[in-house]
Amino acid sequence: MKDWPGPVSTCWNHWIAVPTGDQAGVMEVLSLSSPTPITFAEAQEVIDADAHGNPDDRHHLSRVFVTPEVDSWTLVIGAWCNPCDSERHEDVLRLCKALSARYGGAQAYYYGEQGDGSAWLVAEHGSVVRRYAATGELDDELLTLGDPLPQEQARRLELGLPADGDPQAASSEQIEEWTWAAFHLAPEIAAAYGVSPFTLTREAKVRGTGVLALTPDAASHGI
């Protein structure tokens, strides 16, 4: 099956990025099963359909696209990877720690392309470096772990805010500006730390075949 890399995105994007070409190993850590070969173009259609489906039927949590090795990275794309979802965030945290213990690093992201916010989770060598959510939800603050990443610090300094994220000396206007900036920060952080699904091109070095795989959620809900 001949395939060319291309951007994979929808209105609501969720993915895990791992610095390895060990697709089978990543799937093993995540307990993914029943892999079916799929192209990037086909995966784009599937992920888009799942994102716009009924969130109550849990079908959107039943499958993910696992890329082939792309520039020495493997991406797992689908709502099941959401690092800020109320039902998924602790499991995604655990899985990223496990992946990072095995491969040195792992990240999980959420990005809403219609101004629906961002979230990022960065783990290294089995520990969480940073988790942050800017989605407008009341529970966003409860997800915060670790110190601000360099990209966060730079944007905060641009706005005249303390780089460490302490809002005590900030005005309400500055906090509002930061909130809006953070809403759009996930793609920038993803690109800085590795490979982003939004910037995949034919020029990327690819090895292997992408697959559509079932998540543990599929089996537990009879999907």
Side-chain angles (χ1 to χ4, degrees):
M1 179 175 61
K2 190 172 183 179
D3 189 22
W4 298 100
V8 179
S9 66
T10 182
C11 294
W12 303 278
N13 303 277
H14 320 82
W15 71 98
I16 291 173
V18 192
T20 181
D22 183 13
Q23 183 191 65
V26 169
M27 291 179 60
E28 178 186 12
V29 173
L30 299 179
S31 298
L32 303 178
S33 61
S34 304
T36 302
I38 190 172
T39 66
F40 279 89
E42 291 168 339
Q44 163 68 30
E45 293 183 7
V46 168
I47 297 302
D48 188 60
D50 286 354
H52 288 88
N54 182 355
D56 295 326
D57 66 10
R58 304 192 68 85
H59 189 75
H60 65 300
L61 299 176
S62 70
R63 55 187 182 176
V64 289
F65 172 46
V66 187
T67 69
E69 179 180 349
V70 182
D71 290 338
S72 301
W73 285 72
T74 297
L75 305 181
V76 183
I77 305 173
W80 186 77
C81 304
N82 191 347
C84 61
D85 178 77
S86 59
E87 293 186 37
R88 293 288 308 140
H89 66 83
E90 286 305 319
D91 196 36
V92 173
L93 178 68
R94 175 184 63 81
L95 292 171
C96 282
K97 289 169 66 176
L99 286 167
S100 72
R102 183 164 178 172
Y103 298 109
Q107 301 123 42
Y109 298 94
Y110 160 71
Y111 178 58
E113 292 193 356
Q114 307 301 317
D116 295 314
S118 287
W120 48 90
L121 164 62
V122 177
E124 294 179 356
H125 306 294
S127 299
V128 177
V129 174
R130 178 63 162 166
R131 183 174 67 181
Y132 190 85
T135 68
E137 298 294 331
L138 294 175
D139 292 340
D140 280 354
E141 279 190 29
L142 301 178
L143 295 177
T144 301
L145 296 171
D147 296 323
L149 299 174
Q151 293 77 18
E152 295 176 65
Q153 295 180 33
R155 191 59 57 88
R156 288 177 186 275
L157 289 174
E158 288 175 7
L159 298 172
L161 290 163
D164 62 5
D166 184 356
Q168 296 300 318
S171 67
S172 58
E173 184 178 80
Q174 287 175 314
I175 293 174
E176 184 176 344
E177 288 178 341
W178 160 250
T179 299
W180 180 246
F183 260 49
H184 300 276
L185 205 52
E188 178 183 328
I189 293 174
Y193 272 82
V195 171
S196 165
F198 306 128
T199 58
L200 297 174
T201 68
R202 288 192 173 205
E203 285 67 45
K205 185 178 179 181
V206 177
R207 184 174 63 86
T209 302
V211 298
L212 191 67
L214 296 182
T215 69
D217 206 274
S220 62
H221 292 86
I223 298 173

